[in-house]
Amino acid sequence: MEKVVVVTGANSGIGLALCERLLSSDSQVRLCLACRNMERAEAARAALLTSHSSARVDLLHLDVGSVPSVLGAAEEVKTRYSRIDFLYLNAGIMPNPTVDIRAFFKGLFSRNVINMFATAEGLLTQQDQLNSDGLQEVFATNLFGHFLLIRELEPLLCQPGHTSRLVWTSSSNARRSAFSIEDIQHRRGKEPYSSSKYASDMLSLALNTHKNKQGLFSSVICPGLVMTNLTYGILPSFFWTLIMPIMWLIRIFTNTFTLTPYAGAEALHWMFLQKPESLDPRAKYHSLTSGLGTNYTEPRIMDLDDEMTEVFFSKLLELERAVRRNLSEKTADSEHYQQYINRT
Ligand SMILES: NC(=O)C1=CN([C@@H]2O[C@H](COP(=O)(O)OP(=O)(O)OC[C@H]3O[C@@H](n4cnc5c(N)ncnc54)[C@H](OP(=O)(O)O)[C@@H]3O)[C@@H](O)[C@H]2O)C=CC1
Ligand SMILES: CC(C)=CCC[C@@H](C)[C@H]1CC[C@H]2C3=C(CC[C@]12C)[C@@]1(C)CCC(=O)[C@@H](C)[C@@H]1CC3
């Protein structure tokens, strides 16, 4: 039977590598590439069809960082498909990153060096901004847009007698100390990326608590450190070229340096092959690469607090109501405006 797989942020990096791997391993897959830039989406589709000429690859316009776009895309999905088997919540941004060079050299000569390379703890900050919906951009893109998409697609994701799966591309950079339940959008801090990824870990757990009975299962993965547009944006490109041999050397000593999008997509692809009942809702599944270059997936228990997770889930539902209210007021305003224009 055909398996409908929707992937957000599928036009490059880990998302595109996942699509390639899914088509190579299962001829029943019907892919839907959900992307904000249709030119890049077309190019990704063409690349996939070059190696899999008979594959079914659909495109969907989705800017996950924009509420109207998410609502429009969800409507489109509902007209196209009767159910969704897998929804990969993969699109993500890390805008204006800064590496703390002093902390890097300090960490390099400390006992924490392996953890520093695996998680970038204490190394990275970002500068966030408000988007057109009045939300913090990183939160809106990495988390809230995906949450709204799930909420809108519930009729396709929660069907009697059928199991649907959500897979979040989280990160080992997700840290509880970067997240504040009083400031879920991370308006005041300097680590919006870490905060948004920790938020996705919590949301996944909450979705399992609330939706497993309806046949919806959620998991989180970390792809490891992968060289993609996102990571190339962290340092100037000449610097990356310079340190590339060192990165491959580090890969021998730490299994979290997956480096290629193919290896980074390991856990995402592995998820596709697992029965949801066999997965631990409190675990993050890591793509890892051994010193000899073998890719594998390993679960690690996340640092989650049940009470905070539930409060966070209620806050998201509250924010969803506020966002919808705001949107319908705006629509009503523009209708009044249109009526006024028509009268004059
Ligand atoms: N690379 C790494 O080391 C790690 C990456 N991750 C996560 O992996 C995921 C994929 O990133 P990666 O492949 O590395 O980087 P890329 O930049 O290659 O991929 C990110 C994808 O997300 C898309 N995207 C960004 N913003 C939006 C938006 N508003 N609406 C729709 N699509 C959007 C991008 O589209 P466009 O081309 O239009 O920008 C792109 O297709 C992210 O969630 C990232 O946080 C996690 C841990 C490590
Ligand atoms: C000078 C050398 C040899 C390396 C550069 C150091 C950092 C730029 C690099 C070290 C750890 C990396 C890292 C990430 C980005 C680049 C580093 C900070 C991530 C934060 C990228 C995105 C993620 O989600 C994480 C899983 C990565 C963790 C490690």
Side-chain angles (χ1 to χ4, degrees):
M1 202 169 67
E2 186 178 75
K3 287 180 199 149
V4 177
V5 181
V6 180
V7 183
T8 71
N11 60 272
S12 67
I14 298 158
L16 180 58
L18 167 70
C19 293
E20 186 70 54
R21 291 187 69 158
L22 289 174
L23 292 181
S24 299
S25 69
D26 192 331
S27 58
Q28 304 287 76
V29 163
R30 178 172 178 186
L31 278 182
C32 174
L33 316 186
C35 308
R36 63 176 164 181
N37 180 316
M38 294 319 274
E39 239 172 75
R40 283 181 227 156
E42 283 287 0
R45 181 172 186 269
L48 291 170
L49 291 178
T50 308
S51 42
H52 306 277
S53 54
S54 57
R56 295 200 69 178
V57 183
D58 307 331
L59 300 184
L60 174 74
H61 182 250
L62 167 66
D63 179 346
V64 83
S66 148
V67 170
S69 174
V70 172
L71 299 181
E75 280 313 303
E76 178 64 29
V77 170
K78 283 188 259 187
T79 63
R80 282 193 207 170
Y81 311 107
S82 55
R83 49 154 227 289
I84 295 172
D85 295 283
F86 278 82
L87 173 54
Y88 282 95
L89 308 146
N90 169 73
I93 53 167
M94 185 197 274
N96 315 308
T98 307
V99 180
D100 185 337
I101 300 293
R102 278 182 75 179
F104 174 74
F105 281 108
K106 218 173 143 199
L108 203 56
F109 301 104
S110 75
R111 269 190 288 158
N112 199 31
V113 60
I114 298 284
N115 182 57
M116 179 184 83
F117 278 118
T119 65
E121 187 175 344
L123 281 190
L124 270 180
T125 52
Q126 304 89 32
Q127 234 178 342
D128 202 0
Q129 58 181 16
L130 284 184
N131 71 5
S132 53
D133 300 311
L135 300 170
Q136 290 296 129
E137 198 181 14
V138 176
F139 167 82
T141 308
N142 296 2
L143 186 100
F144 188 70
H146 284 129
F147 171 70
L148 200 58
L149 184 65
I150 296 165
R151 294 280 295 152
E152 283 291 302
L153 295 180
E154 270 182 19
L156 304 196
L157 292 166
C158 303
Q159 291 195 348
H162 187 265
T163 297
S164 291
R165 307 272 301 278
L166 305 172
V167 184
W168 296 85
T169 308
S170 177
S171 166
S172 54
N173 188 244
R175 247 177 331 106
R176 189 166 169 173
S177 59
F179 177 85
S180 162
I181 194 68
E182 308 304 333
D183 179 20
I184 62 169
Q185 293 193 45
H186 205 82
R187 288 186 192 278
R188 292 185 284 276
K190 285 191 171 158
E191 294 178 278
Y193 181 82
S194 180
S195 168
S196 72
K197 293 296 177 182
Y198 185 73
S200 73
D201 297 351
M202 282 195 291
L203 177 54
S204 179
L205 181 66
L207 286 167
N208 280 319
T209 309
H210 293 270
K211 301 288 171 192
N212 278 180
K213 278 199 201 99
Q214 290 163 261
L216 181 62
F217 291 81
S218 179
S219 314
V220 275
I221 72 99
C222 170
L225 174 64
V226 188
M227 297 318 298
T228 62
N229 295 338
L230 184 142
T231 28
Y232 279 119
I234 295 175
L235 294 168
S237 51
F238 77 90
F239 195 79
W240 279 122
T241 316
L242 224 72
I243 66 169
M244 225 15 149
I246 306 175
M247 301 289 280
W248 283 93
L249 198 71
I250 298 173
R251 179 179 156 144
I252 300 172
F253 303 102
T254 165
N255 53 8
T256 59
F257 271 42
T258 45
L259 297 186
T260 66
Y262 180 94
E266 180 68 22
L268 289 157
H269 180 245
W270 183 86
M271 277 293 164
F272 183 75
L273 306 172
Q274 306 307 309
K275 296 240 177 308
E277 303 79 23
S278 68
L279 299 168
D280 184 345
R282 310 188 78 88
K284 184 176 290 177
Y285 290 80
H286 292 252
S287 297
L288 299 169
T289 304
S290 74
L292 294 174
T294 309
N295 301 318
Y296 59 105
T297 300
E298 207 173 77
R300 290 178 189 167
I301 297 300
M302 297 185 281
D303 174 21
L304 295 172
D305 176 84
D306 287 342
E307 207 180 311
M308 184 158 80
T309 299
E310 279 310 302
V311 176
F312 177 55
F313 191 59
S314 327
K315 286 199 170 200
L316 281 181
L317 292 170
E318 209 176 287
L319 183 60
E320 179 196 341
R321 282 191 291 274
V323 159
R324 286 185 195 277
R325 225 174 14 245
N326 181 34
L327 201 69
S328 59
E329 275 163 18
K330 264 195 205 159
T331 316
D333 272 359
S334 75
E335 272 166 16
H336 286 147
Y337 178 70
Q338 201 55 53
Q339 280 166 7
Y340 169 77
I341 294 288
N342 291 345
R343 275 202 308 272
T344 53

